[in-house]
Amino acid sequence: MIRLLKIELKKLINNKTFWILLGLYAIILALVFWSIQTFVNDIVKETGKTVPIPVTKISLYTFPDIWHNLTFISGYLKLILAIVVIIFITNEYSYRTLRQNIITGLSRLDFLLSKLLMVSVIALGATLFLYLNGLVLGILNTTELTFSLVFQKNIFLFAYFLELFAFMTLAMMIGMFVKRSGLAIGILLLYYYIIEPFLSYKLPYDIGDYLPLQAVANLIDVPNTSMMKIVGLNFREYISVSDTLVTIAYTCLFSYFMFLILRKRDL
Amino acid sequence: MSEVILSIENLSKHYGRIKAVDQLSLEITKGSIYGILGPNGSGKTTLLGIVLDVINPKSGTFKWFGELPNKNERKRIGAILETPNFYPYLSAVKNLQIIADIKGVPYDEIKRVLETVELTSRKNSTFRTFSLGMKQRLAIAAALLGNPEVLILDEPTNGLDPQGIAEIRNIILAIAKKGITIILASHLLDEVQKICTHFTVLKQGKKLYSGKVDEILNESVLLEISGPDLDTINKALNEFDKVLNVEKEGDLLIVKLADNSTSSELNNFLATKNVAVSHLALRKKSLEKYFLELLAESND
């Protein structure tokens, strides 16, 4: 296993595109993390001017809610990571190195495993990045700091990892199916922005919740804020077990499809 | 009886209605240099792709080293299929390191194989800066990692200039001397004739002929004879009972001798007849002629 990971890392470490995209992800995410508070404050100020009800200042960065807040927001940026995955999978087709790897002695299962390992490393890295940013922001912004507060609601971090892993697996499957990076990215975006929202609108509510992207997005629902509570909205503050299971099921399904694709096709 | 390295039984591969490989069977023994000949589109690359597990056959079986194909057997084989495939943004060394990792081979091998193909000076340049000849040589270097018992080369001299072709030929011969079995797919008959010990001719996926190179070359030895008076020589030749056939070709007379006769015998005969001869040489039948005859026959 380690050997497979080593091989994958070697392929990617020297790839400029890989680092540029990851760097972009990190920079944008960090900017969002650190500035979202001011953004929300501005909204509150504006609403405060027009609404007679006193709206309390919302702090996003206090433990333990910060974990929920940050993971929710980062969910929007998982597309960048998905694009990275698509690129490194379609490269193996366009350079014909997948074929060469198999000839050299890698089995098709090994190839799939090494790619999945790489995806988990990326998801892990992103989660770690979020954790570190969260720690700092939380420490700076929580008035009564206790250890238990820091580690409460850490379950959101696991959900975040799962969300990223599942989404990247979907992207990888599309990439493997289509073999060309432009087309794969196009299909992913199309599905993400148009097809699934449309499907979930058309299907009865219960079934719509089980569509892949919905399940993944539902892992981490919109975090509650006091403002929303006033209006009467109450989103989930916990991670639902059924969503988790559905996400895991989809991940396994996508992986199985990829295995079938690899086995059946001529390279 | 030599060990059989690769045995193929009734292998077929269809692309729609096109039969790329059609019920092909053959056996390759250890230590031979086996040429797979055929015009473009005859199924050479497809055949190699199947035995290397990158193309799925429609029917038929094959065995490497007597075992059904799996990734471990593949590690004993070094292969280049069609074009050299490497990561263009990585250097030669890094590419070879990845291959070494897959094969489970230590990195010190890399220096050795780079020297064999004379690419040591360019080992840190990225693959995309290589000329075609260098790419082919890197592909051979990669195939040599881990001391494979079998080397499969698919048109290794494709696109090379004469110097490149000669270099590759020498590298192959040097490798063959070490007892490594080599399977060479080519449509360059000249090269096959110079290097191979056995060969198979493919056409439209079917095996037309299989045998030893020596047998073909020794099959009919022709003599080229020339002299000041061709007609006299011709008459004299026809009186020699061991002469099977005489043909005129420009300034030369091409003579086919019976198997139990030698050129010196003919020379002596002509001398006794007082016929002067200025040129007497052996002409080995070329693989090319044989190949073209074979293809022409199969067209009928």
Side-chain angles (χ1 to χ4, degrees):
Chain A
M1 279 292 187
I2 306 277
R3 180 188 134 233
L4 292 178
L5 190 57
K6 237 181 77 181
I7 296 175
E8 274 310 301
L9 282 174
K10 213 177 230 116
K11 289 181 195 171
L12 284 177
I13 284 187
N14 285 296
N15 191 332
K16 253 196 276 177
T17 317
F18 176 68
W19 289 114
I20 292 177
L21 284 174
L22 274 193
L24 215 66
Y25 175 77
I27 293 175
I28 296 181
L29 208 57
L31 277 175
V32 166
F33 284 161
W34 291 78
S35 60
I36 194 77
Q37 179 68 69
T38 36
F39 186 63
V40 169
N41 286 345
D42 285 345
I43 298 183
V44 171
K45 241 198 311 181
E46 287 302 309
T47 6
K49 290 184 190 153
T50 57
V51 169
I53 311 166
V55 183
T56 51
K57 186 157 172 239
I58 307 163
S59 177
L60 297 168
Y61 298 149
T62 50
F63 288 123
D65 294 319
I66 186 174
W67 300 126
H68 189 165
N69 295 330
L70 289 187
T71 51
F72 177 69
I73 298 201
S74 317
Y76 287 105
L77 282 168
K78 61 188 189 235
L79 264 178
I80 299 185
L81 292 181
I83 291 180
V84 171
V85 168
I86 287 185
I87 290 181
F88 78 61
I89 233 333
T90 52
N91 271 352
E92 301 269 16
Y93 281 100
S94 56
Y95 298 148
R96 307 201 97 184
T97 42
L98 163 56
R99 176 192 245 209
Q100 194 62 48
N101 281 345
I102 303 283
I103 293 176
T104 308
L106 205 62
S107 76
R108 291 168 203 226
L109 180 62
D110 277 346
F111 182 78
L112 182 61
L113 282 178
S114 59
K115 292 298 181 191
L116 287 176
L117 275 172
M118 196 59 213
V119 165
S120 5
V121 166
I122 295 180
L124 211 62
T127 310
L128 199 68
F129 184 72
L130 184 144
Y131 187 66
L132 290 173
N133 273 292
L135 265 183
V136 174
L137 277 174
I139 291 176
L140 289 176
N141 285 292
T142 315
T143 42
E144 297 147 21
L145 198 54
T146 65
F147 263 134
S148 68
L149 269 186
V150 172
F151 292 114
Q152 250 175 46
K153 295 214 176 181
N154 273 9
I155 190 117
F156 279 97
L157 290 171
F158 292 114
Y160 182 58
F161 175 82
L162 191 58
E163 180 184 353
L164 290 183
F165 188 79
F167 191 65
M168 287 196 273
T169 314
L170 172 64
M172 190 159 89
M173 184 182 78
I174 297 179
M176 221 182 245
F177 195 68
V178 170
K179 297 186 283 192
R180 287 183 287 281
S181 64
L183 194 56
I185 294 176
I187 291 182
L188 182 70
L189 290 175
L190 199 71
Y191 187 72
Y192 186 72
Y193 283 122
I194 302 181
I195 299 182
E196 218 193 75
F198 179 71
L199 282 178
S200 76
Y201 174 68
K202 276 290 184 172
L203 291 173
Y205 187 67
D206 284 349
I207 302 183
D209 247 359
Y210 289 106
L211 286 174
L213 288 183
Q214 279 300 103
V216 168
N218 282 341
L219 274 182
I220 299 174
D221 209 345
V222 181
N224 274 324
T225 60
S226 46
M227 184 163 69
M228 294 171 183
K229 286 206 182 105
I230 295 171
V231 185
L233 295 170
N234 196 1
F235 292 106
R236 277 202 317 254
E237 288 204 342
Y238 58 90
I239 308 285
S240 109
V241 176
S242 68
D243 280 335
T244 313
L245 288 177
V246 170
T247 308
I248 293 180
Y250 269 121
T251 312
C252 294
L253 196 69
F254 296 154
S255 306
Y256 184 63
F257 278 157
M258 287 193 276
F259 179 64
L260 285 182
I261 291 177
L262 277 181
R263 221 170 38 152
K264 288 275 166 164
R265 273 216 196 127
D266 292 337
L267 295 171
Chain B
M1 176 67 168
S2 251
E3 192 188 318
V4 171
I5 290 255
L6 171 63
S7 68
I8 299 177
E9 247 176 274
N10 292 323
L11 215 53
S12 287
K13 173 69 181 175
H14 297 187
Y15 288 111
R17 277 193 310 174
I18 298 175
K19 295 189 183 158
V21 176
D22 196 355
Q23 299 282 88
L24 203 61
S25 301
L26 58 90
E27 259 184 17
I28 298 183
T29 52
K30 186 173 155 117
S32 57
I33 307 179
Y34 204 96
I36 300 184
L37 289 181
N40 290 327
S42 52
K44 308 189 292 290
T45 305
T46 310
L47 176 63
L48 293 178
I50 295 177
V51 301
L52 285 172
D53 227 3
V54 291
I55 297 181
N56 297 320
K58 180 171 179 293
S59 61
T61 58
F62 64 93
K63 286 193 186 150
W64 280 106
F65 310 104
E67 309 262 354
L68 287 175
N70 62 65
K71 70 172 181 191
N72 289 319
E73 302 313 324
R74 279 211 297 284
K75 290 189 181 143
R76 295 159 76 179
I77 305 169
I80 315 172
L81 216 57
E82 279 185 314
T83 53
N85 298 315
F86 293 97
Y87 296 93
Y89 55 87
L90 291 181
S91 70
V93 171
K94 292 227 167 65
N95 268 302
L96 289 181
Q97 280 175 349
I98 290 179
I99 300 206
D101 282 336
I102 295 177
K103 281 201 187 272
V105 154
Y107 286 177
D108 357 316
E109 287 269 315
I110 294 180
K111 192 156 159 272
R112 183 184 65 84
V113 300
L114 280 175
E115 273 166 27
T116 311
V117 299
E118 291 174 32
L119 272 180
T120 317
S121 57
R122 296 294 299 268
K123 65 181 164 111
N124 289 319
S125 316
T126 49
F127 182 72
R128 65 162 76 92
T129 62
F130 278 12
S131 72
L132 185 56
M134 291 180 208
K135 287 182 182 171
Q136 303 274 43
R137 286 189 292 170
L138 185 64
I140 296 184
L144 287 174
L145 277 177
N147 284 317
E149 296 165 52
V150 185
L151 201 60
I152 299 184
L153 303 170
D154 187 8
E155 316 251 8
T157 53
N158 215 358
L160 294 181
D161 59 16
Q163 186 188 354
I165 296 179
E167 277 169 9
I168 300 280
R169 188 193 316 140
N170 291 331
I171 294 174
I172 295 177
L173 287 172
I175 296 169
K177 277 214 180 73
K178 297 184 190 164
I180 297 176
T181 314
I182 300 184
I183 303 176
L184 189 67
S186 185
H187 56 262
L188 295 178
L189 303 161
D190 207 31
E191 286 308 303
V192 173
Q193 187 171 323
K194 286 190 179 117
I195 307 177
C196 298
T197 56
H198 298 70
F199 74 105
T200 285
V201 179
L202 294 183
K203 184 177 173 186
Q204 289 176 341
K206 287 210 204 15
K207 181 171 79 169
L208 281 189
Y209 181 83
S210 208
K212 289 194 178 160
V213 170
D214 283 343
E215 280 169 7
I216 298 299
L217 295 184
N218 289 331
E219 208 175 72
S220 49
V221 171
L222 300 173
L223 288 175
E224 292 174 352
I225 300 186
S226 188
D229 189 350
L230 284 181
D231 290 326
T232 328
I233 302 178
N234 206 341
K235 230 174 78 178
L237 284 173
N238 284 320
E239 289 168 24
F240 189 38
D241 59 356
K242 298 257 176 80
V243 165
L244 296 176
N245 188 29
V246 182
E247 263 172 38
K248 196 154 188 260
E249 198 181 281
D251 284 353
L252 300 172
L253 290 173
I254 309 296
V255 177
K256 187 165 177 175
L257 277 187
D259 285 342
N260 53 3
S261 162
T262 65
S263 55
S264 18
E265 236 181 63
L266 181 64
N267 200 12
N268 282 332
F269 177 79
L270 289 174
T272 57
K273 293 269 170 174
N274 268 330
V275 174
V277 158
S278 62
H279 173 86
L280 176 64
L282 234 56
R283 175 190 279 196
K284 275 201 161 184
K285 187 163 188 175
S286 76
L287 209 59
E288 185 177 359
K289 267 220 173 91
Y290 187 78
F291 181 69
L292 291 171
E293 277 171 27
L294 202 60
L295 286 179
E297 270 171 46
S298 73
N299 272 333
D300 302 328

Tab-separated table of all heavy atoms in Angstrom, chain A residues 171-195:
chain	number	residue	atom	x	y	z
A	171	ALA	N	-15.717	12.524	-9.075
A	171	ALA	CA	-14.957	13.208	-10.126
A	171	ALA	C	-14.017	12.238	-10.817
A	171	ALA	O	-13.875	12.230	-12.036
A	171	ALA	CB	-14.160	14.369	-9.530
A	172	MET	N	-13.368	11.381	-10.036
A	172	MET	CA	-12.425	10.427	-10.595
A	172	MET	C	-13.146	9.461	-11.520
A	172	MET	O	-12.646	9.127	-12.607
A	172	MET	CB	-11.735	9.663	-9.462
A	172	MET	CG	-10.577	8.829	-9.925
A	172	MET	SD	-9.433	8.443	-8.605
A	172	MET	CE	-10.080	6.976	-7.956
A	173	MET	N	-14.334	9.046	-11.119
A	173	MET	CA	-15.082	8.108	-11.954
A	173	MET	C	-15.445	8.749	-13.291
A	173	MET	O	-15.309	8.146	-14.347
A	173	MET	CB	-16.355	7.661	-11.232
A	173	MET	CG	-17.119	6.611	-12.011
A	173	MET	SD	-18.631	6.115	-11.215
A	173	MET	CE	-19.680	7.485	-11.623
A	174	ILE	N	-15.875	10.005	-13.240
A	174	ILE	CA	-16.209	10.707	-14.479
A	174	ILE	C	-14.966	10.815	-15.357
A	174	ILE	O	-15.006	10.574	-16.561
A	174	ILE	CB	-16.786	12.102	-14.187
A	174	ILE	CG1	-18.094	11.989	-13.420
A	174	ILE	CG2	-17.010	12.870	-15.484
A	174	ILE	CD1	-18.712	13.326	-13.068
A	175	GLY	N	-13.849	11.157	-14.740
A	175	GLY	CA	-12.602	11.295	-15.489
A	175	GLY	C	-12.203	9.999	-16.167
A	175	GLY	O	-11.776	9.968	-17.317
A	176	MET	N	-12.378	8.904	-15.430
A	176	MET	CA	-11.987	7.613	-15.972
A	176	MET	C	-12.906	7.195	-17.103
A	176	MET	O	-12.509	6.543	-18.052
A	176	MET	CB	-12.063	6.570	-14.858
A	176	MET	CG	-10.931	5.619	-14.888
A	176	MET	SD	-11.104	4.400	-13.626
A	176	MET	CE	-9.695	4.841	-12.657
A	177	PHE	N	-14.150	7.583	-16.985
A	177	PHE	CA	-15.109	7.195	-17.995
A	177	PHE	C	-14.873	7.948	-19.286
A	177	PHE	O	-14.939	7.392	-20.379
A	177	PHE	CB	-16.514	7.490	-17.466
A	177	PHE	CG	-17.584	6.822	-18.259
A	177	PHE	CD1	-17.697	5.447	-18.226
A	177	PHE	CD2	-18.453	7.539	-19.051
A	177	PHE	CE1	-18.674	4.800	-18.952
A	177	PHE	CE2	-19.436	6.910	-19.778
A	177	PHE	CZ	-19.553	5.533	-19.738
A	178	VAL	N	-14.587	9.227	-19.159
A	178	VAL	CA	-14.497	10.091	-20.322
A	178	VAL	C	-13.085	10.197	-20.898
A	178	VAL	O	-12.897	10.446	-22.067
A	178	VAL	CB	-15.037	11.487	-19.927
A	178	VAL	CG1	-14.754	12.490	-20.972
A	178	VAL	CG2	-16.510	11.407	-19.669
A	179	LYS	N	-12.100	10.016	-20.082
A	179	LYS	CA	-10.682	10.003	-20.448
A	179	LYS	C	-10.099	11.327	-20.915
A	179	LYS	O	-8.904	11.426	-21.136
A	179	LYS	CB	-10.396	8.938	-21.526
A	179	LYS	CG	-10.679	7.527	-21.034
A	179	LYS	CD	-10.254	6.482	-22.031
A	179	LYS	CE	-11.237	6.372	-23.169
A	179	LYS	NZ	-10.972	5.168	-23.996
A	180	ARG	N	-10.932	12.359	-21.096
A	180	ARG	CA	-10.369	13.639	-21.524
A	180	ARG	C	-10.683	14.672	-20.458
A	180	ARG	O	-11.820	14.766	-20.006
A	180	ARG	CB	-10.985	14.059	-22.864
A	180	ARG	CG	-10.466	13.225	-24.014
A	180	ARG	CD	-11.036	13.711	-25.327
A	180	ARG	NE	-12.439	13.373	-25.494
A	180	ARG	CZ	-12.892	12.183	-25.863
A	180	ARG	NH1	-12.042	11.212	-26.110
A	180	ARG	NH2	-14.180	11.965	-25.989
A	181	SER	N	-9.700	15.458	-20.075
A	181	SER	CA	-9.883	16.327	-18.909
A	181	SER	C	-10.943	17.384	-19.129
A	181	SER	O	-11.800	17.611	-18.275
A	181	SER	CB	-8.565	16.980	-18.501
A	181	SER	OG	-8.113	17.828	-19.528
A	182	GLY	N	-10.914	18.052	-20.304
A	182	GLY	CA	-11.887	19.120	-20.535
A	182	GLY	C	-13.308	18.607	-20.432
A	182	GLY	O	-14.155	19.178	-19.739
A	183	LEU	N	-13.566	17.508	-21.122
A	183	LEU	CA	-14.903	16.942	-21.140
A	183	LEU	C	-15.341	16.518	-19.747
A	183	LEU	O	-16.471	16.750	-19.321
A	183	LEU	CB	-14.923	15.731	-22.082
A	183	LEU	CG	-16.297	15.208	-22.480
A	183	LEU	CD1	-17.106	16.310	-23.109
A	183	LEU	CD2	-16.143	14.034	-23.424
A	184	ALA	N	-14.413	15.902	-19.018
A	184	ALA	CA	-14.746	15.420	-17.672
A	184	ALA	C	-15.131	16.575	-16.765
A	184	ALA	O	-16.118	16.505	-16.029
A	184	ALA	CB	-13.572	14.640	-17.095
A	185	ILE	N	-14.336	17.641	-16.806
A	185	ILE	CA	-14.636	18.793	-15.958
A	185	ILE	C	-15.980	19.377	-16.356
A	185	ILE	O	-16.805	19.722	-15.510
A	185	ILE	CB	-13.518	19.862	-16.066
A	185	ILE	CG1	-12.229	19.307	-15.496
A	185	ILE	CG2	-13.915	21.140	-15.339
A	185	ILE	CD1	-11.046	20.228	-15.629
A	186	GLY	N	-16.215	19.443	-17.670
A	186	GLY	CA	-17.481	19.962	-18.153
A	186	GLY	C	-18.656	19.157	-17.627
A	186	GLY	O	-19.641	19.707	-17.135
A	187	ILE	N	-18.524	17.840	-17.711
A	187	ILE	CA	-19.617	16.981	-17.246
A	187	ILE	C	-19.836	17.139	-15.749
A	187	ILE	O	-20.965	17.188	-15.265
A	187	ILE	CB	-19.327	15.515	-17.608
A	187	ILE	CG1	-19.413	15.344	-19.109
A	187	ILE	CG2	-20.312	14.583	-16.920
A	187	ILE	CD1	-19.188	13.943	-19.575
A	188	LEU	N	-18.745	17.220	-15.010
A	188	LEU	CA	-18.873	17.378	-13.561
A	188	LEU	C	-19.620	18.658	-13.224
A	188	LEU	O	-20.559	18.664	-12.423
A	188	LEU	CB	-17.495	17.395	-12.902
A	188	LEU	CG	-17.506	17.496	-11.382
A	188	LEU	CD1	-18.013	16.202	-10.778
A	188	LEU	CD2	-16.121	17.808	-10.845
A	189	LEU	N	-19.225	19.757	-13.864
A	189	LEU	CA	-19.877	21.035	-13.591
A	189	LEU	C	-21.346	20.994	-13.991
A	189	LEU	O	-22.219	21.472	-13.274
A	189	LEU	CB	-19.157	22.163	-14.355
A	189	LEU	CG	-17.765	22.500	-13.840
A	189	LEU	CD1	-17.100	23.528	-14.739
A	189	LEU	CD2	-17.840	23.022	-12.418
A	190	LEU	N	-21.583	20.399	-15.148
A	190	LEU	CA	-22.955	20.292	-15.631
A	190	LEU	C	-23.804	19.540	-14.622
A	190	LEU	O	-24.911	19.946	-14.282
A	190	LEU	CB	-22.940	19.533	-16.966
A	190	LEU	CG	-24.165	19.707	-17.841
A	190	LEU	CD1	-24.179	21.110	-18.409
A	190	LEU	CD2	-24.156	18.687	-18.961
A	191	TYR	N	-23.272	18.439	-14.158
A	191	TYR	CA	-24.026	17.630	-13.207
A	191	TYR	C	-24.246	18.379	-11.907
A	191	TYR	O	-25.338	18.391	-11.346
A	191	TYR	CB	-23.295	16.307	-12.942
A	191	TYR	CG	-24.091	15.359	-12.098
A	191	TYR	CD1	-25.205	14.718	-12.617
A	191	TYR	CD2	-23.761	15.130	-10.766
A	191	TYR	CE1	-25.967	13.875	-11.832
A	191	TYR	CE2	-24.512	14.277	-9.986
A	191	TYR	CZ	-25.612	13.657	-10.521
A	191	TYR	OH	-26.366	12.818	-9.746
A	192	TYR	N	-23.187	19.017	-11.434
A	192	TYR	CA	-23.221	19.684	-10.145
A	192	TYR	C	-24.183	20.856	-10.143
A	192	TYR	O	-24.972	21.044	-9.225
A	192	TYR	CB	-21.805	20.158	-9.810
A	192	TYR	CG	-21.608	20.754	-8.447
A	192	TYR	CD1	-21.628	19.952	-7.314
A	192	TYR	CD2	-21.363	22.110	-8.282
A	192	TYR	CE1	-21.411	20.491	-6.060
A	192	TYR	CE2	-21.140	22.648	-7.035
A	192	TYR	CZ	-21.166	21.832	-5.926
A	192	TYR	OH	-20.946	22.369	-4.686
A	193	TYR	N	-24.134	21.668	-11.186
A	193	TYR	CA	-24.928	22.878	-11.190
A	193	TYR	C	-26.289	22.733	-11.827
A	193	TYR	O	-27.198	23.465	-11.510
A	193	TYR	CB	-24.163	24.003	-11.918
A	193	TYR	CG	-23.075	24.597	-11.070
A	193	TYR	CD1	-21.756	24.595	-11.505
A	193	TYR	CD2	-23.360	25.142	-9.832
A	193	TYR	CE1	-20.756	25.132	-10.727
A	193	TYR	CE2	-22.375	25.680	-9.048
A	193	TYR	CZ	-21.070	25.679	-9.498
A	193	TYR	OH	-20.079	26.193	-8.719
A	194	ILE	N	-26.427	21.824	-12.740
A	194	ILE	CA	-27.667	21.746	-13.479
A	194	ILE	C	-28.423	20.431	-13.293
A	194	ILE	O	-29.551	20.418	-12.829
A	194	ILE	CB	-27.434	21.990	-14.983
A	194	ILE	CG1	-26.787	23.349	-15.161
A	194	ILE	CG2	-28.733	21.899	-15.746
A	194	ILE	CD1	-26.530	23.716	-16.591
A	195	ILE	N	-27.793	19.354	-13.625
A	195	ILE	CA	-28.543	18.093	-13.666
A	195	ILE	C	-29.074	17.649	-12.315
A	195	ILE	O	-30.259	17.339	-12.171
A	195	ILE	CB	-27.693	16.982	-14.300
A	195	ILE	CG1	-27.355	17.369	-15.715
A	195	ILE	CG2	-28.452	15.665	-14.292
A	195	ILE	CD1	-26.570	16.337	-16.464
